[in-house]
Amino acid sequence: MARPLLDTVETFTRLAGHNRVAMLLFRLGDRQAFGINVFKVREVLRRPRLERMPSMHALVSGSFDYRGSTIPVIDLAAAMGYPPLASIDSAHLIVTEFNLSVQGFLVSDVDRIVHVDGANLTAPPAALGYGARVNAVTRLDGDLLAVVDVEQVLASVSPVAAQLSDRVQQAAHVQQAGNRRVLVVDDSAVARTQLVDLFRKMDLECVIAKDGREGLEKLRALAVGPADDRVDLVVSDIEMPLMDGYALTTAIREDAQLRHMKVLLHSSLSGVFNEAMVARVGADKFIAKFQPDILATAVLDLLPA
């Protein structure tokens, strides 16, 4: 039976802007708990009958008709090194929406929704062996919770190139964007690579931070250094461990040395809610991932003359 989750999402919106996040917990074959941001989840279903083509990616179990649209289903268990779930009748399907696309992820079973303090989310130690597909871990009731980087999983199935149109590249050249510095803040290695590749095409220099706390520390250090080393614009993800993009923007606006800084929030989570939060925390712009021309144009608009 379908279990709509968006009906209850409003319960968790009050957490946003306070460095807290609501996580949907699930498992992939053993006791290990995994999590995904509730705002990426549209619905949880029992595994439907899947249609498969021989040319599909190895991690794609098939496709099915979801509310009038055909969407791909990715075996998240297989992607994380667990036995595949495509033929397991008891498997569940998490239907997600992010990066302007809708797709399903097969999981063993779904547990519950919990509130997680962003300050307690940390990058996973390399010794745990998660690789790039887990971007944060924390403890929940004494047990380890791993947050899956579903953007990275999707990118491994359907890569997105940082292509710029000739029109936007010419605009960057005319505006002489070169010699400007952008602080890129994102916990996803895939997203950081996309952004750096895009900004290099615009002749922009990049400073990198893997979460909001590191980004804030770098901004404060650069603010008291040589003027040529300072950053002209912050482009930040929203959902990150330690300090999210909303909290980072709030901290920038509360810092006398930084409050003039332009901030663009760039997130896989789209919609009216994010746009309202952008205004609330004082960011200058919100762009949904990943739209190279739209993002590049917004960056050119925000760079100081």
Side-chain angles (χ1 to χ4, degrees):
M1 178 179 178
R3 180 188 170 193
L5 287 175
L6 292 187
D7 293 345
T8 60
V9 157
E10 289 79 6
T11 307
F12 307 105
T13 58
R14 68 180 184 276
L15 302 177
H18 299 280
N19 207 33
R20 293 180 63 81
V21 63
M23 290 277 180
L24 174 66
L25 303 189
F26 58 90
R27 302 187 191 280
L28 296 174
D30 59 17
R31 293 188 64 255
Q32 169 70 65
F34 293 92
I36 181 175
N37 191 319
V38 161
F39 286 103
K40 290 181 177 177
V41 178
R42 290 184 62 169
E43 200 165 355
V44 175
L45 308 168
R46 285 285 189 179
R47 181 186 63 80
R49 185 177 65 84
L50 301 176
E51 300 170 332
R52 180 171 175 81
M53 296 292 292
S55 58
M56 285 181 173
H57 189 281
L59 293 179
V60 176
S61 298
S63 64
F64 81 109
D65 181 79
Y66 176 71
R67 303 189 182 281
S69 298
T70 299
I71 68 170
V73 174
I74 299 169
D75 192 329
L76 192 55
M80 298 297 294
Y82 287 85
L85 294 170
S87 60
I88 305 300
D89 290 339
S90 60
H92 288 71
L93 182 71
I94 301 177
V95 180
T96 65
E97 182 174 12
F98 60 90
N99 284 2
L100 303 177
S101 67
V102 178
Q103 52 282 312
F105 288 96
L106 282 178
V107 302
S108 179
D109 65 83
V110 175
D111 189 355
R112 66 192 190 280
I113 294 174
V114 298
H115 299 171
V116 177
D117 188 342
N120 294 331
L121 288 167
T122 59
L128 292 180
Y130 288 125
R133 291 182 174 172
V134 167
N135 54 5
V137 294
T138 189
R139 287 282 170 181
L140 184 67
D141 300 328
D143 295 325
L144 186 68
L145 168 62
V147 182
V148 178
D149 187 350
V150 287
E151 293 176 52
Q152 197 277 344
V153 176
L154 181 60
S156 69
V157 172
S158 180
V160 177
Q163 298 292 340
L164 273 180
S165 68
D166 293 340
R167 175 184 59 81
V168 175
Q169 282 189 307
Q170 180 64 21
H173 177 72
V174 169
Q175 188 169 319
Q176 296 181 332
N179 300 320
R180 309 291 185 89
R181 304 185 87 202
V182 176
L183 175 65
V184 173
V185 189
D186 204 303
D187 62 322
S188 169
V190 169
R192 290 195 303 272
T193 299
Q194 288 174 336
L195 291 173
V196 170
D197 288 348
L198 178 69
F199 294 151
R200 281 177 179 165
K201 288 181 172 69
M202 301 169 65
D203 296 323
L204 292 169
E205 184 180 346
C206 294
V207 178
I208 304 297
K210 296 179 181 179
D211 59 68
R213 184 180 295 176
E214 182 184 1
L216 184 61
E217 290 171 354
K218 289 192 174 185
L219 283 176
R220 286 173 171 166
L222 293 170
V224 297
D228 289 346
D229 291 341
R230 295 174 190 172
V231 167
D232 298 292
L233 172 67
V234 177
V235 177
S236 176
D237 188 20
I238 291 178
E239 45 169 351
M240 298 180 289
L242 297 178
M243 177 183 283
D244 66 23
Y246 295 135
L248 170 61
T249 305
T250 299
I252 289 171
R253 294 294 176 246
E254 292 176 348
D255 189 308
Q257 289 185 301
L258 303 176
R259 61 173 54 131
H260 67 282
M261 185 94 40
K262 296 290 186 180
V263 179
L264 185 154
L265 293 179
H266 183 235
S267 174
S268 61
L269 304 174
S270 58
V272 174
F273 169 74
N274 271 331
E275 293 167 3
M277 282 301 302
V278 165
R280 185 186 303 179
V281 301
D284 297 281
K285 191 77 174 178
F286 168 78
I287 301 292
K289 291 181 180 176
F290 178 62
Q291 305 172 87
D293 270 12
I294 294 175
L295 174 61
T297 300
V299 166
L300 292 175
D301 288 343
L302 292 175
L303 283 172

